[in-house]
Amino acid sequence: MNEKTLELKGSELSVSPSNRVLYWVSLLIIMLGLTGLTIFFEAHSVGPGTPFDKLPSYKWTTYGNLLFAVSAVVYIAHLWLPAEAVGKWATGLATGGTIAVLVGLLARWFEMHEVLQDGHAPVSNLYEVTMLFSAVTVLIYLGMESAYRNRAAGAFVMPIVLSAVGFELWLVYDGQASPSNLVPALKSYWMYSHVLANFIGYAAFAVAAAMGVMYLLRANAEKRGLGADAFAIRAFPELRKIDGLIFKAIAIGFPVFTLATVLGAAWAYEAWGGYWSWDPKETWALIVWLTYATYFHLRFVKGWVGTRMAWWAIAGFGVTLFCFLGVNLYLSGLHSYGKLG
Amino acid sequence: MAELIVPKSESQKNLALRIFDFISSMPTAIFLLCMVAGLSVIGTVLEQNQPSDFYLSKLGPFWYKVFAAMGLYNMYASWWFIGILAFLVLSVSIALVRFGPRVWRQMQPLAKVPDWPGDAATMEVAGEIAAAQPDQVRGVLHQAGFREFVRGRDGEGNELLVARKGRWAKIGFFLVHGGVVIIAVGGLVTSHFGFRGVMNIPTKDSADIVYVQDGSSYREIKLPFEVRNNQFAIDYYHTGMPSDYRTDLALVGEGGKVLAAKRITVNDPLTYKGITFYQASFGDAGSAVSFVLTDLTKPNFPQQLVHSNVDKQLGDEMGNKINISELRQHNVVNMSQDAGKQMLRDVGPSLDVTLQSPANGTITYRVYQLYPNMLAYARMGDKDMTYDDLGFSPGDGKMMALLAGYLKQLEQSGAATPDARRAAFAAAMKEQGVPADRAAELGPVIAHAADVLRRDALPMLFSFSDFTPKMYTGLQVARDPGSPLIWIGSIMLILGLAVMMYMPELRLWVRFLQSGGDATLQLCGKSAGRSEMGVELLLERLCRGLKTGVLPA
């Protein structure tokens, strides 16, 4: 098909995997260092009953969200401004935003010892998990960006992240952002792994859906004869490649999402003696699982690719969103850690 | 089973084989996956296992019957839903048998050179190449993790080297589909040989009956031993919310022999002979309470000390009914005046008493043991409690008598002016033999209390004297012989998916072309489990490696 002859250019030599590991590890160290400094210097201002918007973690979250917003603008501008420097700024801002939000979450974890006199991971209400969702989504996207060296999808992933940020702001406005005590059943080590794995799954499916939108835009432009030279479309990878990226994002998320569901079942088994009780959240997790299981069968066995699968990825994320938010919005059950309206 | 996968002509196949083929075919599998997903939605929208009145009022008599006939009130246990699940599992099982040998063969070492694919990522490297010979190429590919090689020629006679890594990734097919079948078998074992129910046992009491929910009714299971609740305790957060609760549980066999004992807490159960006891809930098992009832509808406000229990109902000849609905041992309230700040204090025990009277409707009182002067009540339809301060406890018989006397004098004299009220008060005090100096002291207090009674217009008052708590521990009891299968199946499922998604098989073709004196190498990579961009990046890296002889880090 598209045969290329390799031309070696010394300056273009790729970042080696060992350097990449070094890069991510140094980011991790920066994040932990900032968390440590935050806790060390601002511990005196935190005590029982301190309102959440006076907590140092809230500042970090706000800075992080601002960085996400600027990064989204730069990613979108990068579609028209192909200069490498613009792309690097977009990546840098998104990376900075993730670090700030994660520092906010980690600091909040420690603050909860003071505020509630009972510490637990900041994954217990809708506000906290939405923060986690935004950070993990950006992380998974950045991982794929660095692995596949293409930034076009950022312009589609970041708006999803910004929607999450908008939802956070609404929760703040609605008074649902304060940390709260856990009911005894939630006090378990299973919670950390179950929630984290779930949000890795959700985030990967969000990235896949963003790429699905990118696919449909390009497919539509090509159908209308605009072709690869059209203004923003020029920055998109070819359709076949976007299709592969969508698949990869779902393939990253699916095993972790399966793990999350099994961890949830194991936890329920330890707390209530039943791993599966057809609670609405459980049932919707199964529906999400079946949706993506069908995706793989259609792709691997029936050989479906392209527009149909891009739509499938978008619809799959719709089902995922209902599992994440809709169940809390419309249905009742065991996972009543947040409400809407 | 080999004959299953050798396609014979349709007419030669017997009916059973054709049915097998149909059940395990991909369209059937996809149809079943979508069916289970779609039908599962119903049970999340329609609340399950509710009493029939709930559905009747929601749906009306006609649809109630239709839905009932379809088993929608316990749909995940209905024959048709279980049937579809069983069909899906059957489809997976047959597919394992039918396609297993083919997948197994794909994992065998490459016997011959596979054809150059026409639809995969390709790249070529030309000019000066450090690793131009097949053995050198093999060395570079080895550095990139390829372990399996086969050499041959393509249709035009060019030399071809094919390499493969992730040869075992397709084991994921067996792990995932096998895992699903094993989970289903585990579920079947549990539903046939296991149970899951509840037991509520008061402190210092024991029981041996487990109540198992069966649709909207319950069936009883008798345990071969007594379950004894030796002690039950609750820990609280400083906000008053329970932080943990625990039971000292003992299983007592014949002759009082203790078979097993453990302090169970939420997330830490006790298991004995396959039966597990989980700390699930707690509640009031009829705590003993006593309170003073003052009847304001009668002259002289007669009082009565009542001894009763939580959840009991008392009645009188006037048709008044008193329900003792809830005892709270802790009431944490925010005492801070500043809206943004918190100053949490435990104001101690409270009792909720609901009065239903023909004359006054339903009124719920909340009486605090440590704050007896406070009147807190809500009439039917009120959203919040009304709080008022009587100035003294309604349980104080002397004060209530003085108050009653004053109100009677007021009513008799019809006093409307402050002076007339003072005269009525003086008359009432004189009537009850209160000295003048004491009366002067009491004046403002009684006057305030009289205002409060008129304002609130309550038929009765209560004063919380004492209580002895008696709690029950709520246990979930389950026997689950299928659970080991479920966990084994789950682990297989996760491992299989991880292998298939994270370490997919990759085939690589290298074609050696000679044009003039220069060698050109054409590379082509194909993987169902990788994105084309990923394959291209790998090809690029390999080309650099071939060019220089060393694979870039």
Side-chain angles (χ1 to χ4, degrees):
Chain A
M1 288 186 93
N2 61 323
E3 224 156 281
K4 290 180 189 167
T5 303
L6 181 81
E7 296 157 39
L8 276 181
K9 278 185 244 155
S11 62
E12 206 193 81
L13 270 175
S14 51
V15 190
S16 69
S18 56
N19 281 348
R20 218 184 293 161
V21 170
L22 205 65
Y23 172 74
W24 289 104
V25 169
S26 55
L27 288 184
L28 185 71
I29 292 170
I30 290 173
M31 184 185 78
L32 293 176
L34 288 173
T35 309
L37 287 175
T38 307
I39 294 159
F40 184 74
F41 282 110
E42 304 205 65
H44 62 273
S45 61
V46 178
T50 306
F52 76 93
D53 54 352
K54 298 279 187 297
L55 295 172
S57 65
Y58 186 69
K59 281 184 204 154
W60 279 111
T61 311
T62 309
Y63 297 149
N65 288 344
L66 282 172
L67 288 175
F68 282 157
V70 182
S71 152
V73 172
V74 181
Y75 267 117
I76 292 167
H78 188 45
L79 295 179
W80 286 274
L81 307 170
E84 177 70 7
V86 179
K88 278 191 170 155
W89 267 101
T91 306
L93 287 164
T95 312
T98 317
I99 290 178
V101 170
L102 288 176
V103 169
L105 275 170
L106 286 176
R108 194 173 160 109
W109 192 343
F110 283 89
E111 288 159 0
M112 269 193 275
H113 283 278
E114 302 295 326
V115 177
L116 302 172
Q117 297 172 5
D118 153 58
H120 58 78
V123 289
S124 62
N125 63 29
L126 216 41
Y127 174 71
E128 291 165 347
V129 294
T130 307
M131 271 199 268
L132 181 67
F133 172 75
S134 65
V136 178
T137 305
V138 177
L139 267 185
I140 288 182
Y141 165 69
L142 287 176
M144 288 186 76
E145 178 189 293
S146 120
Y148 298 112
R149 288 171 228 157
N150 191 292
R151 288 195 174 91
F156 297 89
V157 174
M158 291 313 285
I160 293 185
V161 173
L162 282 193
S163 316
V165 170
F167 182 57
E168 269 171 48
L169 293 179
W170 184 82
L171 288 171
V172 168
Y173 168 79
D174 198 48
Q176 293 190 46
S178 299
S180 47
N181 289 125
L182 289 181
V183 299
L186 291 183
K187 287 164 68 177
S188 165
Y189 284 100
W190 293 105
M191 184 176 81
Y192 305 102
S193 50
H194 168 63
V195 176
L196 188 64
N198 246 314
F199 278 87
I200 291 174
Y202 289 169
F205 299 152
V207 171
M211 289 165 169
V213 174
M214 179 163 77
Y215 184 98
L216 292 179
L217 273 182
R218 177 159 187 153
N220 188 43
E222 287 187 2
K223 213 163 100 188
R224 287 188 301 146
L226 290 172
D229 294 332
F231 216 23
I233 304 293
R234 189 163 43 195
F236 295 7
E238 293 145 53
L239 285 179
R240 261 191 356 269
K241 294 185 179 173
I242 306 176
D243 181 72
L245 288 179
I246 298 172
F247 160 73
K248 201 66 211 177
I250 295 175
I252 289 170
F254 191 65
V256 188
F257 183 77
T258 310
L259 173 68
T261 308
V262 170
L263 286 171
W267 178 12
Y269 188 69
E270 198 179 276
W272 296 293
Y275 27 69
W276 198 263
S277 48
W278 296 100
D279 164 79
K281 197 81 163 186
E282 287 172 358
T283 309
W284 274 94
L286 176 70
I287 295 168
V288 170
W289 193 87
L290 292 168
T291 304
Y292 290 108
T294 311
Y295 174 92
F296 289 119
H297 283 93
L298 288 171
R299 189 183 178 88
F300 283 150
V301 186
K302 300 289 282 179
W304 281 28
V305 285
T307 309
R308 289 187 288 195
M309 295 317 261
W311 277 113
W312 201 282
I314 294 169
F317 183 58
V319 176
T320 306
L321 260 188
F322 192 86
C323 180
F324 173 21
L325 295 176
V327 171
N328 295 78
L329 172 58
Y330 299 110
L331 313 171
S332 60
L334 298 170
H335 290 74
S336 51
Y337 51 72
K339 61 184 188 329
L340 291 166
Chain B
M1 284 300 149
E3 64 270 28
L4 276 184
I5 50 158
V6 179
K8 295 177 181 171
S9 71
E10 285 302 308
S11 58
Q12 276 179 307
K13 280 190 180 181
N14 67 33
L15 186 66
L17 285 184
R18 262 189 280 174
I19 291 173
F20 268 38
D21 283 1
F22 170 74
I23 293 175
S24 60
S25 72
M26 192 39 58
T28 309
I30 287 170
F31 174 76
L32 288 171
L33 286 170
C34 293
M35 279 291 275
V36 174
L39 292 170
S40 295
V41 175
I42 300 171
T44 68
V45 178
L46 185 72
E47 275 181 77
Q48 297 289 294
N49 294 320
Q50 299 295 314
S52 51
D53 290 350
F54 173 86
Y55 297 114
L56 203 54
S57 67
K58 233 181 179 177
L59 301 166
F62 176 73
W63 288 110
Y64 171 78
K65 273 188 211 155
V66 174
F67 279 37
M70 293 194 289
L72 285 178
Y73 307 139
N74 190 13
M75 70 153 273
Y76 300 113
S78 68
W79 62 269
W80 53 267
F81 190 75
I82 298 285
I84 292 171
L85 284 182
F87 218 72
L88 180 60
V89 174
L90 185 68
S91 167
V92 174
S93 315
I94 299 177
L96 257 176
V97 175
R98 190 173 152 204
F99 301 111
R102 192 183 302 172
V103 177
W104 186 256
R105 275 200 302 276
Q106 286 169 356
M107 291 197 299
Q108 298 310 304
L110 293 170
K112 62 180 178 68
V113 176
D115 290 338
W116 181 271
D119 59 343
T122 57
M123 200 172 280
E124 64 175 43
V125 55
E128 254 177 64
I129 303 172
Q133 295 309 311
D135 283 339
Q136 294 168 316
V137 172
R138 221 176 125 141
V140 172
L141 296 184
H142 194 273
Q143 290 174 42
F146 290 90
R147 291 292 176 271
E148 198 191 346
F149 301 93
V150 57
R151 282 170 68 173
R153 291 189 182 275
D154 68 2
E156 284 119 50
N158 298 306
E159 190 159 0
L160 214 52
L161 173 70
V162 179
R164 178 164 72 159
K165 69 174 172 183
R167 177 182 143 197
W168 292 105
K170 287 206 166 102
I171 198 86
F173 167 83
F174 297 100
L175 288 172
V176 169
H177 294 88
V180 167
V181 173
I182 289 177
I183 290 173
V185 172
L188 196 68
V189 168
T190 292
S191 66
H192 271 266
F193 304 105
F195 64 82
R196 184 174 165 218
V198 292
M199 283 180 108
N200 293 339
I201 311 173
T203 307
K204 304 281 176 211
D205 209 341
S206 56
D208 63 353
I209 302 287
V210 183
Y211 294 91
V212 178
Q213 188 166 29
D214 194 0
S216 56
S217 61
Y218 286 87
R219 71 191 158 89
E220 295 179 2
I221 288 180
K222 195 172 182 308
L223 296 176
F225 45 77
E226 291 269 314
V227 183
R228 190 169 168 78
N229 169 5
N230 281 322
Q231 208 195 331
F232 173 77
I234 309 170
D235 294 332
Y236 294 91
Y237 291 113
H238 72 298
T239 55
M241 208 174 108
S243 70
D244 203 2
Y245 33 102
R246 55 188 180 281
T247 309
D248 287 342
L249 208 62
L251 308 181
V252 185
E254 272 176 50
K257 191 174 163 243
V258 174
L259 306 169
K262 186 181 174 182
R263 172 172 292 185
I264 63 166
T265 64
V266 182
N267 287 320
D268 186 15
L270 161 68
T271 302
Y272 175 73
K273 286 200 173 165
I275 301 177
T276 308
F277 298 84
Y278 301 87
Q279 179 73 72
S281 63
F282 61 87
D284 199 302
S287 301
V289 294
S290 56
F291 54 88
V292 176
L293 185 161
T294 310
D295 191 345
L296 302 179
T297 59
K298 290 185 180 144
N300 302 324
F301 297 170
Q303 292 196 319
Q304 194 186 344
L305 179 62
V306 180
H307 296 282
S308 185
N309 299 89
V310 172
D311 283 336
K312 269 205 177 157
Q313 195 183 60
L314 312 167
D316 66 9
E317 69 285 353
M318 310 285 292
N320 294 320
K321 281 184 205 148
I322 294 170
N323 277 301
I324 299 143
S325 45
E326 194 178 355
L327 168 70
R328 282 197 197 84
Q329 298 188 45
H330 300 275
N331 284 281
V332 177
V333 294
N334 189 2
M335 305 286 252
S336 171
Q337 307 291 325
D338 190 351
K341 289 215 167 129
Q342 256 192 341
M343 197 172 79
L344 298 178
R345 279 239 331 255
D346 185 358
V347 297
S350 73
L351 189 66
D352 283 8
V353 179
T354 306
L355 170 69
Q356 281 173 285
S357 67
N360 294 283
T362 304
I363 306 171
T364 302
Y365 295 78
R366 181 162 297 160
V367 284
Y368 293 87
Q369 192 183 28
L370 305 179
Y371 295 86
N373 302 1
M374 185 148 74
L375 305 185
Y377 63 92
R379 288 197 163 79
M380 184 106 122
D382 287 357
K383 250 170 72 186
D384 296 308
M385 288 239 158
T386 305
Y387 291 90
D388 219 337
D389 188 348
L390 190 64
F392 52 84
S393 166
D396 186 336
K398 268 189 197 153
M399 290 299 282
M400 288 305 284
L402 292 177
L403 179 57
Y406 170 54
L407 288 171
K408 197 164 74 182
Q409 283 287 345
L410 270 186
E411 200 182 317
Q412 279 168 4
S413 64
T417 64
D419 280 344
R421 280 203 290 270
R422 263 195 289 277
F425 178 70
M429 293 302 107
K430 205 172 162 190
E431 193 182 62
Q432 301 203 28
V434 180
D437 53 341
R438 175 78 177 134
E441 236 173 72
L442 291 176
V445 180
I446 299 283
H448 168 77
D451 285 344
V452 168
L453 287 199
R454 267 197 299 257
R455 181 161 64 218
D456 296 333
L458 294 167
M460 285 184 187
L461 290 183
F462 300 90
S463 173
F464 188 12
S465 317
D466 206 359
F467 68 94
T468 313
K470 188 178 183 190
M471 307 292 287
Y472 70 76
T473 180
L475 305 176
Q476 286 264 9
V477 185
R479 191 172 66 197
D480 203 337
S483 62
L485 289 175
I486 298 220
W487 303 132
I488 290 169
S490 299
I491 290 168
M492 283 170 65
L493 180 61
I494 292 163
L495 286 180
L497 286 173
V499 170
M500 281 208 290
M501 303 295 171
Y502 300 151
M503 308 162 214
E505 186 201 54
L506 176 80
R507 287 179 186 213
L508 185 81
W509 286 257
V510 184
R511 183 148 55 187
F512 299 83
L513 298 174
Q514 287 289 343
S515 55
D518 276 349
T520 301
L521 299 186
Q522 278 183 342
L523 271 70
C524 177
K526 192 172 168 128
S527 169
R530 287 176 192 240
S531 75
E532 195 174 316
M533 278 172 105
V535 175
E536 274 187 1
L537 286 166
L538 177 72
L539 291 184
E540 195 187 317
R541 184 159 160 256
L542 291 174
C543 285
R544 284 177 202 285
L546 295 174
K547 191 93 180 161
T548 59
V550 184
L551 198 70

